[in-house]
Amino acid sequence: MKILLIEDDREAADYLKKAFSEAGHTTHLAADGETGFALADSGDYDVFVIDRMLPRRDGLSVIAELRERGNETPALILSALGEVDDRVTGLRAGGDDYLTKPYAFSELLARVEVLNRRAGSKEVETLYRVGDLELDRLSHTVRRAGQEIVLQPREFRLLEYLMRHAGQVVTRTMLLENVWDYHFDPQTNVIDVHVSRLRGKIERGFDRPVLHTVRGAGYVLRAE
């Protein structure tokens, strides 16, 4: 799983990241509500684990706005507030589960895995189209105007992410975190190189461009 953990207690966050990693999962960290919301809104996660009381923005408002925006990623709320009314408030804000502190990691892990299984039972989109460009996740193929285009694994992942966000500006930070799993800018031209190669493969020999550079912002995939 790819988990977003929004927790302002650094010691607790580091412990959970290590524990999730040992269980075979990837965890991204955010130490406040605003940063956590930005990551949740732009990233691709299987489960959110969100502390209720956070600096800059509380966890319940983060979940509530994500739900308003149509983000249905399962969210588990962590909180020291354990009264029935507290749990009801959390669930009504859009949380899928509520775990009171202190807790055992084994229980947290079990609850997160259950949320992920439930979400996985929903129909998952496997075919993306932008104009005459088509990507099939099941067969791992890309075609444009019926012509098959061979991509390297990283190029395929890059195109898949761009197609999933077709019509939206995708920033370098979004690509670094979701295609390369970097949580910082390594100051390399890795994105520029891969975008250039991908653009060459999906546009060479075709009349219209589909991958556009938005100066100072990032990239957008759209049919003209």
Side-chain angles (χ1 to χ4, degrees):
M1 283 181 290
K2 186 176 177 182
I3 301 166
L4 174 61
L5 172 63
I6 310 177
E7 169 63 77
D8 62 319
D9 184 325
R10 188 66 196 187
E11 185 176 350
D14 289 342
Y15 166 75
L16 289 177
K17 181 175 183 178
K18 182 175 183 293
F20 278 128
S21 177
E22 290 173 351
H25 307 301
T26 299
T27 306
H28 293 176
L29 301 179
D32 64 80
E34 285 292 350
T35 303
F37 175 79
L39 287 174
D41 192 42
S42 63
D44 180 20
Y45 297 96
D46 297 304
V47 177
F48 301 140
V49 177
I50 304 177
D51 187 32
R52 179 168 178 169
M53 301 180 72
L54 294 164
R56 299 183 67 198
R57 182 172 189 172
D58 72 274
L60 298 193
S61 74
V62 169
I63 296 171
E65 185 166 349
L66 288 170
R67 298 303 184 237
E68 289 176 3
R69 289 172 175 247
N71 188 321
E72 297 299 326
T73 301
L76 183 148
I77 299 167
L78 297 176
S79 178
L81 305 175
E83 298 298 324
V84 172
D85 287 347
D86 297 319
R87 297 197 298 272
V88 169
T89 299
L91 296 173
R92 284 180 172 169
D96 298 278
D97 200 355
Y98 194 105
L99 185 59
T100 304
K101 298 178 180 181
Y103 52 83
F105 175 74
S106 57
E107 180 180 4
L108 172 60
L109 178 61
R111 287 172 180 253
V112 166
E113 289 175 341
V114 167
L115 290 177
N116 185 52
R117 284 199 301 272
R118 289 176 183 169
S121 66
K122 299 176 183 177
E123 184 177 350
V124 177
E125 189 172 2
T126 60
L127 186 65
Y128 299 102
R129 291 191 181 91
V130 177
D132 59 358
L133 181 64
E134 178 181 291
L135 181 146
D136 190 325
R137 294 177 60 199
L138 293 181
S139 63
H140 211 74
T141 56
V142 173
R143 290 182 172 82
R144 184 164 185 193
Q147 177 181 327
E148 184 168 357
I149 298 171
V150 179
L151 299 181
Q152 296 299 315
R154 184 74 68 178
E155 294 167 345
F156 186 91
R157 188 175 174 185
L158 173 60
L159 180 60
E160 179 183 347
Y161 188 80
L162 289 166
M163 293 191 79
R164 288 180 54 212
H165 297 83
Q168 304 173 25
V169 175
V170 174
T171 67
R172 289 177 55 89
T173 298
M174 292 166 67
L175 293 175
L176 284 168
E177 292 183 346
N178 293 283
V179 179
W180 277 268
D181 293 323
Y182 293 161
H183 308 302
F184 60 94
D185 188 341
Q187 299 298 318
T188 72
N189 64 345
V190 61
I191 291 179
D192 301 323
V193 170
H194 278 80
V195 167
S196 178
R197 289 176 181 170
L198 177 62
R199 179 180 278 129
K201 291 185 177 183
I202 64 176
E203 293 186 349
R204 187 175 298 119
F206 298 97
D207 293 335
R208 297 183 178 181
V210 289
L211 180 52
H212 308 271
T213 299
V214 181
R215 189 175 299 276
Y219 305 93
V220 60
L221 191 74
R222 65 171 180 264
E224 289 294 293

